[in-house]
Amino acid sequence: MMDTQKTKVLIVISNMEFGGAQRQIVELVNNTDKTQFEIHVCSLSNYAPLAEQFNAGISLHIIHKKAKFDFSVVFKLASLIRKHKFNIIHSYLFDAEMAARLAAKLSCTNIKVIGSERNANYTLKPIQKRAYKLTKHLVNAIIANSKSGADFNARQTGQPKSKYHVVYNGVNTNRFRPQNKKNIRAELGIEENCNLIGMFASFKQQKNHPFLISALNTLKQQGANFKLLLVGDVLHGGMHGSDTYTSAVKQQIEDSSFSNDVVYLGNRDDIEHIYPACDFTVLPSLFEGTPNVVLESMACGVPVIATDVSDNARIISHLSSGYIVETNNVQELSEKILYLLGNTATLETFSKNARQAMVNKFSSVKLAENMTKIYKMVKQK
């Protein structure tokens, strides 16, 4: 007899602030088949602005972590598991990963545990690496958003590669779509005919703003005309040294030759209306998983120049929908930016190809379909 009972999934994350993992949770829960799955989200912080974007019917639970090592979170999470009889717990980000693994064990239920990997080639702290290895037997599967992320996580944590599944991020191609550039620039107070370069990223070291600033400084000194649009802000509470990093980046801009050509927009909840203002965007990251901003920009028909990290080259077709450049190669990045600033025909071609790739391969619907296939498989094991 066919099992018609819904699969109950609890997604646990450190917070629901303006971050990449958080935006993917929004896309996932909003596009999951509600006739087959009952999705709940639990944030370990009461700062959860992106939860406002959940569709009706998505249950949000807050278990506020009051300190770095607040073990009461584990007991509360275990209680939540027992109360709602979840089949699967799927965690995002380190503290949520640890809490979910321990809570699943403590709940004394048959709940299946799924971990996540959102980046690649970063440095794990010794205590994090040890925690992952000590709890690796508590995990049934790990979903990475890039092949390089899956390989990296397996090396770091000692998990067998058989536990890993790759599900690329997805973008809402109805929300993120080409729009009238002239109108958006008018709303932002930006000149209609200026060359506008966008960078959409939180202010944290991973995003490597100084690389882009150095390249643009070189171009400005050579006489190039442009404006830089920065969308994103310091992480909530200055986490992970974000406040110090932000100050350093802004000082570098202040000392540059284009300090008067920078527009700061901070965090925005209407970024689908901001991307189309740009001629192209740049993501100079040191490491990534599958960057949401690349998918979102391309879905809006805005080409991207990105560093050759993680699976960026699998998303951006070099010389077809954008450019892939070597990390911290200022000359190469400068050359690619300068070329796009002066070649509208290339921009138009890249724009069409970028949009089509997102519609065909990286939509939110595709994300939810691929993710729920893994949920079903893990539940049956």
Side-chain angles (χ1 to χ4, degrees), residues 192-243:
E192 178 183 345
N193 296 319
C194 81
N195 296 313
L196 187 62
I197 302 166
M199 181 173 173
F200 292 68
S202 297
F203 280 79
K204 54 185 178 180
Q205 289 187 344
Q206 170 192 353
K207 300 304 179 180
N208 201 17
H209 292 73
F211 176 29
L212 174 59
I213 296 166
S214 296
L216 293 179
N217 191 46
T218 298
L219 292 175
K220 191 67 175 181
Q221 291 173 347
Q222 295 172 356
N225 291 311
F226 57 83
K227 281 188 179 295
L228 173 63
L229 183 67
L230 291 176
V231 183
D233 213 332
V234 62
L235 297 179
H236 180 63
M239 286 194 305
H240 310 305
S242 177
D243 47 359

Side-chain angles (χ1 to χ4, degrees), residues 60-72:
L60 174 67
H61 307 271
I62 302 292
I63 298 178
H64 184 58
K65 191 176 76 165
K66 298 177 182 178
K68 188 174 183 179
F69 298 104
D70 180 3
F71 204 76
S72 69

Side-chain angles (χ1 to χ4, degrees), residues 34-202:
K34 303 304 185 296
T35 66
Q36 298 187 54
F37 294 86
E38 180 183 322
I39 306 289
H40 294 237
V41 177
C42 178
S43 169
L44 301 188
S45 168
N46 53 18
Y47 182 66
L50 275 185
E52 295 178 5
Q53 296 182 13
F54 290 157
N55 288 347
I58 304 300
S59 297
L60 174 67
H61 307 271
I62 302 292
I63 298 178
H64 184 58
K65 191 176 76 165
K66 298 177 182 178
K68 188 174 183 179
F69 298 104
D70 180 3
F71 204 76
S72 69
V73 168
V74 175
F75 292 101
K76 293 173 183 176
L77 197 53
S79 177
L80 188 66
I81 291 170
R82 289 191 292 268
K83 177 180 178 181
H84 292 276
K85 297 181 174 60
F86 290 111
N87 304 111
I88 291 170
I89 186 168
H90 182 188
S91 53
Y92 289 73
L93 307 180
F94 175 74
D95 55 348
E97 288 264 12
M98 293 303 107
R101 296 178 186 193
L102 296 174
K105 180 70 174 178
L106 193 64
S107 72
C108 298
T109 65
N110 193 36
I111 191 170
K112 306 296 184 179
V113 179
I114 299 178
S116 298
E117 178 53 76
R118 311 298 300 171
N119 281 304
N121 301 324
Y122 56 93
T123 301
L124 277 175
K125 296 177 181 178
I127 191 172
Q128 291 176 318
K129 187 178 290 189
R130 182 166 176 77
Y132 275 125
K133 288 186 176 181
L134 286 174
T135 61
K136 70 177 185 178
H137 64 288
L138 302 178
V139 183
N140 300 98
I142 299 168
I143 299 177
N145 66 349
S146 67
K147 184 179 184 302
S148 56
D151 293 341
F152 169 80
N153 190 274
R155 291 194 304 270
Q156 293 292 307
T157 65
Q159 292 279 13
K161 289 192 175 181
S162 59
K163 281 190 179 182
Y164 290 85
H165 308 271
V166 176
V167 176
Y168 285 105
N169 289 356
V171 59
N172 184 334
T173 54
N174 293 319
R175 178 185 172 195
F176 292 91
R177 66 186 191 282
Q179 297 181 53
N180 188 296
K181 181 178 298 186
K182 176 181 177 181
N183 293 343
I184 296 174
R185 289 190 176 187
E187 292 174 7
L188 295 174
I190 296 173
E191 300 91 334
E192 178 183 345
N193 296 319
C194 81
N195 296 313
L196 187 62
I197 302 166
M199 181 173 173
F200 292 68
S202 297

Side-chain angles (χ1 to χ4, degrees), residues 227-348:
K227 281 188 179 295
L228 173 63
L229 183 67
L230 291 176
V231 183
D233 213 332
V234 62
L235 297 179
H236 180 63
M239 286 194 305
H240 310 305
S242 177
D243 47 359
T244 303
Y245 173 79
T246 302
S247 297
V249 168
K250 291 187 175 180
Q251 187 61 55
Q252 184 186 6
I253 292 174
E254 186 65 27
D255 295 339
S256 75
S257 56
F258 66 95
S259 58
N260 294 325
D261 298 305
V262 180
V263 179
Y264 295 96
L265 287 187
N267 287 327
R268 299 283 296 240
D269 57 9
D270 62 343
I271 54 173
E272 68 273 24
H273 299 304
I274 310 298
Y275 284 105
C278 303
D279 293 304
F280 57 93
T281 62
V282 180
L283 186 64
S285 305
L286 295 170
F287 58 89
E288 287 288 352
T290 300
N292 291 321
V293 295
V294 169
L295 305 185
E296 292 166 356
S297 184
M298 293 176 69
C300 290
V302 179
V304 182
I305 302 175
T307 45
D308 190 10
V309 297
S310 190
D311 286 16
N312 280 351
R314 294 173 181 263
I315 303 167
I316 302 168
S317 180
H318 185 63
L319 304 179
S320 175
S321 61
Y323 291 128
I324 298 293
V325 298
E326 181 183 3
T327 304
N328 291 331
N329 187 328
V330 173
Q331 181 178 347
E332 183 183 19
L333 178 57
S334 300
E335 289 173 353
K336 293 296 186 287
I337 291 174
L338 186 61
Y339 186 82
L340 288 186
L341 288 175
N343 288 272
T344 55
T346 299
L347 274 174
E348 289 176 1

